[in-house]
């Protein structure tokens, strides 16, 4: 299944057995909650009180000036957000001097590990030479676009923007302009950034406009959500929309919504490709997380598929700021070609600091280093070791938890909250206890020295040696032991 693009071969050594995982997730959701008992929670809270007072003070100050006390949900944490002062390779250090294994990895981009020295040095060189931005063309813009094309041949042209959100906005607009069609189809549960047209069906499939506060209904009139993995429903919807303005784009995260929280069967993307071709819709791969993490060819290299457009984020600037963009077929991407006389003909995108030399230099050198070192495969091997270890712990303790991985994207579901089904009569009674249990797990993992993404997702990096993974497994097991004792 691997492509022959350098570095892309083995970032996923084994594809998850999706039907078996779905069965286990179903069982998890329908099993009694195996949560941490009150005495364990009290001990973990006491740990924070004794060891994380500096974070607590900063978090209290942040609450006065920052809505909700954090600038991004990734930083949320119980009993309060941890304030980080150092990041290096596999580890984070907080303002109180505690060290943690970093399985958040900034939300995914740092496949080389945090604050990777050789990239940092190139960024410092660039800053010394011309500062972060001039507004003029810079050699690194060209180098980065060309390098992305080398790794992902389907990206014939690349428009660098400031974030994944902007990449999705641009992709949707380009797809509408190019096809002349109106509708956009996304998959329930998937996050494609926060632009008006895609804040729909977030986190839990079927939730539609639940999170669309402040967005006029008209902005979402032509956005549709489908159940993960359901290609029959996609075929039917494409058919129906053909009579009503047609579909401009089907946008998917190739491994499934939320980095595979709802894992996509292996053949899913190929089926979506075929359906898009049949109905004249563009296939957009959102590779904000998978791009370069699943190999230098991204998910498209792994599945051996050619999307019409690819959305990039995070990784494209190697974890440095202003990271995003869209790339793809030359004829589609040319709708962005502009100039001052192009009014009325081009698709308008912009961003004064988009494609600044700093982001492009960071992205270029990060991608080169990832390819040179084989970082995606090394991070994937760490993900494999971690997932196998977690599976063994879960089995040994007879817990209903579910773990699986797409290489360096590891899922660990302990409460099943994300897999509750809206149609289930118990949905509203189960939601809060399961959400709380997940928050408690996340807190316990942190107190035991491991930072995860909200307690249920883990990004490994090249810096995660066997020793780091084994250290993490010991920490997870100390938490699992207490949940087992409770059951
Ligand atoms: C799959 C996916 N698409 C889009 C985005 C939005 O990217 P950004 O946060 O850079 O706007 C994210 C962010 O987490 C993402 O995971």
């Amino acid at each position: 299944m691997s492509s022959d693009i350098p570095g892309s071969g083995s970032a996923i050594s084994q594809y998850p057995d999706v039907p078996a995982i779905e069965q286990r997730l179903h069982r998890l959701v329908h099993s009694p909650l195996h949560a941490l008992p009150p005495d364990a929670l009290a001990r973990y809270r006491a740990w924070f009180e004794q060891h994380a007072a500096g974070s607590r003070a900063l978090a209290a100050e942040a609450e006065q000036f920052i809505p909700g006390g954090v600038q991004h949900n990734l930083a949320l944490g119980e009993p309060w957000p941890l304030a980080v002062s150092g990041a290096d390779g596999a580890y984070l250090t907080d303002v109180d001097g505690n060290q943690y294994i970093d399985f958040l990895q900034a939300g995914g981009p740092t496949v080389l590990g945090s604050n990777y020295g050789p990239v940092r040095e190139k960024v410092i060189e660039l800053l010394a030479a011309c500062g972060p931005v001039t507004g003029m063309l810079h050699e690194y813009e060209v180098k980065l676009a060309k390098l992305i094309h080398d790794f992902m041949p389907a990206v014939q042209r690349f428009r660098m923007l400031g974030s994944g959100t902007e990449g999705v906005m641009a992709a949707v607009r380009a797809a509408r302009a190019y096809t002349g069609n109106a509708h956009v189809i996304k998959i329930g549960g998937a996050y494609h950034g926060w632009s008006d047209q895609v804040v729909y069906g977030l986190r839990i499939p079927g939730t539609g406009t639940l999170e669309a506060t402040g967005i006029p209904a008209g902005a979402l009139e032509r956005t549709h959500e489908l159940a993960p993995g359901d290609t029959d429903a996609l075929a039917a919807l494409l058919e129906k929309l053909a009579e009503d303005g047609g579909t401009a784009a089907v946008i998917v995260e190739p491994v499934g919504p939320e980095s595979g929280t709802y894992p996509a069967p292996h053949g899913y993307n190929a089926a979506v490709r075929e359906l898009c071709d049949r109905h004249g819709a563009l296939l957009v791969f959102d590779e904000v997380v998978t791009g370069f993490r699943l190999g230098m060819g991204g998910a498209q290299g792994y599945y051996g598929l050619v999307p019409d457009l690819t959305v990039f984020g995070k990784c494209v600037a190697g974890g440095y700021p202003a990271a995003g963009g869209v790339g793809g077929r030359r004829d589609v991407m040319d709708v962005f070609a502009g100039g001052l006389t192009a009014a009325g003909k081009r698709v308008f995108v912009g961003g004064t600091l988009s494609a600044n030399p700093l982001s492009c230099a960071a992205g270029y050198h990060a991608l080169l280093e990832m390819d040179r070192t084989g970082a995606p495969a090394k991070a994937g091997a760490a993900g494999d070791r971690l997932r196998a270890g977690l599976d063994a712990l879960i089995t040994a303790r007879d817990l209903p938890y579910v773990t699986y991985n797409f290489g360096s994207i590891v899922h660990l579901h302990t409460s099943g909250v994300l897999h509750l089904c809206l149609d289930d009569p118990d949905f509203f009674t189960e939601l809060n206890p399961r959400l709380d249990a997940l928050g408690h797990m996340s807190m316990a993992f942190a107190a035991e020295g491991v930072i995860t993404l909200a307690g249920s997702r883990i990004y490994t990096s090249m810096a995660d040696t066997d020793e780091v993974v084994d250290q993490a497994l010991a920490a997870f097991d100390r938490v699992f032991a207490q949940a087992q004792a409770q059951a």
Side-chain angles (χ1 to χ4, degrees):
M1 278 303 144
S2 59
S3 99
D4 51 10
I5 293 163
S8 72
S10 51
I12 298 183
S13 67
Q14 196 186 2
Y15 201 78
D17 179 347
V18 172
I21 288 161
E22 282 173 346
Q23 268 183 18
R24 289 180 63 188
L25 288 169
H26 183 83
R27 191 163 66 92
L28 170 66
V29 171
H30 294 94
S31 299
L33 197 48
H34 285 59
L36 290 167
D39 59 328
L41 289 179
R43 276 197 302 277
Y44 284 129
R45 287 207 178 94
W47 182 90
F48 275 87
E49 270 160 31
Q50 281 165 23
H51 298 276
S55 285
R56 183 182 206 169
L58 196 62
E61 200 179 351
E63 285 214 352
Q64 293 176 43
F65 302 104
I66 295 173
V70 293
Q71 298 289 24
H72 193 291
N73 281 353
L74 287 179
L76 285 170
E78 286 186 49
W80 49 79
L82 288 170
V84 166
S85 56
D88 185 17
Y91 294 98
L92 294 173
T93 307
D94 71 12
V95 293
D96 295 288
N98 303 301
Q99 196 184 58
Y100 307 88
I101 293 173
D102 177 9
F103 283 154
L104 176 59
Q105 288 295 326
T110 49
V111 182
L112 292 159
S114 284
N115 199 5
Y116 184 72
V119 175
R120 185 177 62 237
E121 280 158 25
K122 293 291 182 187
V123 169
I124 292 169
E125 261 174 40
L126 180 277
L127 288 174
C130 83
V133 62
T134 66
M136 306 290 280
L137 179 66
H138 193 282
E139 186 187 9
Y140 272 127
E141 293 168 35
V142 187
K143 283 182 156 192
L144 177 61
K146 187 170 175 309
L147 190 63
I148 293 171
H149 170 68
D150 290 345
F151 292 133
M152 295 186 186
V155 181
Q156 295 176 319
R157 297 270 196 274
F158 174 63
R159 168 67 77 218
M160 182 105 168
L161 295 163
S163 65
T165 296
E166 290 181 33
V168 170
M169 287 163 69
V172 168
R173 194 173 290 176
R176 285 183 165 140
Y178 180 84
T179 62
N181 294 341
H183 296 274
V184 172
I185 299 175
K186 75 177 285 280
I187 312 304
Y191 178 65
H192 296 295
W194 53 277
S195 66
D196 280 2
Q197 60 220 335
V198 290
V199 176
Y200 193 76
L202 301 192
R203 281 190 269 270
I204 295 186
T207 44
T209 56
L210 183 71
E211 305 244 28
T213 310
I215 298 176
L220 287 159
E221 241 165 39
R222 295 177 182 83
T223 301
H224 307 265
E225 171 196 2
L226 286 176
D230 193 344
T231 47
D232 290 344
L234 176 60
L237 183 58
L238 285 164
E239 197 78 51
K240 180 173 153 226
L241 296 177
E243 312 292 313
D244 178 30
T247 301
V250 178
I251 180 163
V252 296
E253 275 184 85
V255 294
E258 284 283 1
S259 300
T261 295
Y262 309 91
H266 195 285
Y268 176 76
N269 295 289
V272 175
R273 172 74 276 177
E274 231 179 271
L275 286 168
C276 285
D277 288 344
R278 201 179 309 156
H279 291 272
L282 299 191
L283 173 60
V284 181
F285 270 9
D286 181 342
E287 294 232 37
V288 165
V289 171
T290 53
F292 313 110
R293 178 165 277 282
L294 296 189
M296 299 314 292
Q300 54 200 269
Y302 173 74
Y303 291 107
L305 290 170
V306 178
D308 299 297
L309 293 175
T310 301
V311 173
F312 296 90
K314 319 186 193 236
C315 218
V316 86
Y320 281 76
V326 59
R329 268 169 55 183
R330 181 178 306 128
D331 56 340
V332 181
M333 288 299 294
D334 279 348
V335 300
F336 294 121
L340 297 177
T341 56
K345 287 176 266 177
R346 69 161 159 190
V347 163
F348 202 95
V349 290
T352 312
L353 297 192
S354 294
N356 62 76
L358 185 152
S359 309
C360 293
Y364 175 72
H365 287 291
L367 295 183
L368 275 187
E369 276 297 291
M370 284 166 65
D371 186 42
R372 184 187 70 75
T373 57
K378 287 181 182 160
D384 287 347
R385 184 180 181 88
L386 185 67
R387 190 260 311 136
L390 286 169
D391 240 342
L393 298 177
I394 289 167
T395 306
R397 296 202 175 276
D398 197 22
L399 289 162
Y401 303 165
V402 183
T403 182
Y404 56 92
N405 69 312
F406 296 90
S408 59
I409 305 172
V410 183
H411 292 271
L412 169 62
H413 298 292
T414 55
S415 85
V417 63
L418 292 167
H419 296 90
L420 288 173
C421 178
L422 259 185
D423 300 334
D424 196 322
D426 294 335
F427 180 84
F428 288 101
T429 45
E430 290 290 317
L431 184 64
N432 282 336
R434 286 182 185 264
L435 199 55
D436 288 348
L438 180 60
H440 295 158
M441 277 290 168
S442 183
M443 173 178 78
F445 296 156
E448 293 288 1
V450 180
I451 302 294
T452 58
L453 198 167
S456 68
R457 201 180 315 160
I458 289 163
Y459 293 121
T460 52
S461 80
M462 179 173 83
D464 293 325
T465 59
D466 289 355
E467 293 69 37
V468 172
V469 171
D470 293 347
Q471 185 191 349
L473 286 169
F476 282 118
D477 200 38
R478 289 194 290 277
V479 179
F480 291 171
Q482 297 175 73
Q484 184 195 27
Q486 158 82 346

